[in-house]
Amino acid sequence: SRIGGGYGDYVSLGDMHIPPVRPNVGVWETVDTTNDSWSYAWYDQNWKSPKLICERLVQVVARGGSYMLNVGPKGDGTIPAPAVEALTVSGEWLAENGEAIYGASASPFDQGFSWGDITTKGNELYLHVFDLPAEGMLRL
C-alpha cells in the first residue's frame, strides 16, 4: 500500500505507529526504525533499546500485523554499533522466545494491557509481561 493508488495487498499504517487497538483493515504492517531516522543520521542518537524493539514486535503481532524494522547503514555500509547491539540482543530474545512470535496470531483481546500483551498459537496464549504489576497479578 506504500505505493499508493490502491495498489498492494496490505495496508501500511503510519510510520512507527503501533495501533493501541487491533485495526479492522485486513493484512497490515508497521514500519519502524532502530532510532528516529529512516537512514543514517550522525546526529540521531535516540536508539531503541532491545527491550523496546521486542515489546514493539510483540505489540504488532498481538494486534495481528507484521513488523518491518528499518536499519539505516552508514555510507560505507556498516550498521551503527548501537543498532548492532540492539539487534543482537533482540535476536537472542527472539531465538529464546520465537515460539510465541513466529507463526503466532493476534491476541483474543483487541488491545494490550498495562502489564504487556498476548500472542496466540492454536489453543495456547503467550503472555508477554513487560512490567509485572506490584501485586504480582496479571488481569485479563
Side-chain angles (χ1 to χ4, degrees):
S1 70
R2 294 178 76 83
I3 299 171
Y7 296 102
D9 56 358
Y10 66 96
V11 174
S12 287
L13 301 181
D15 292 344
M16 300 182 219
H17 175 71
I18 298 175
V21 176
R22 184 179 322 146
N24 188 18
V25 295
V27 180
W28 63 275
E29 74 173 354
T30 287
V31 183
D32 205 357
T33 62
T34 52
N35 56 6
D36 293 332
S37 300
W38 290 104
S39 60
Y40 177 71
W42 63 267
Y43 52 84
D44 183 358
Q45 297 300 310
N46 190 28
W47 300 100
K48 289 180 177 75
S49 69
K51 181 179 188 296
L52 183 58
I53 290 171
C54 292
E55 287 176 0
R56 291 174 69 82
L57 170 63
V58 166
Q59 291 167 338
V60 170
V61 173
R63 299 287 83 66
S66 294
Y67 188 59
M68 182 172 77
L69 184 61
N70 181 70
V71 179
K74 296 179 182 180
D76 65 3
T78 60
I79 305 297
V84 170
E85 173 67 15
L87 294 171
T88 299
V89 174
S90 297
E92 291 167 354
W93 178 88
L94 197 51
E96 180 95 11
N97 298 282
E99 171 74 20
I101 299 296
Y102 296 117
S105 298
S107 170
F109 302 95
D110 285 337
Q111 72 285 324
F113 298 87
S114 61
W115 50 262
D117 225 320
I118 299 173
T119 58
T120 63
K121 193 178 282 183
N123 293 326
E124 301 287 326
L125 293 178
Y126 295 93
L127 280 62
H128 301 267
V129 181
F130 306 151
D131 298 300
L132 185 64
E135 71 274 10
M137 184 173 293
L138 302 179
R139 300 186 192 283
L140 302 180

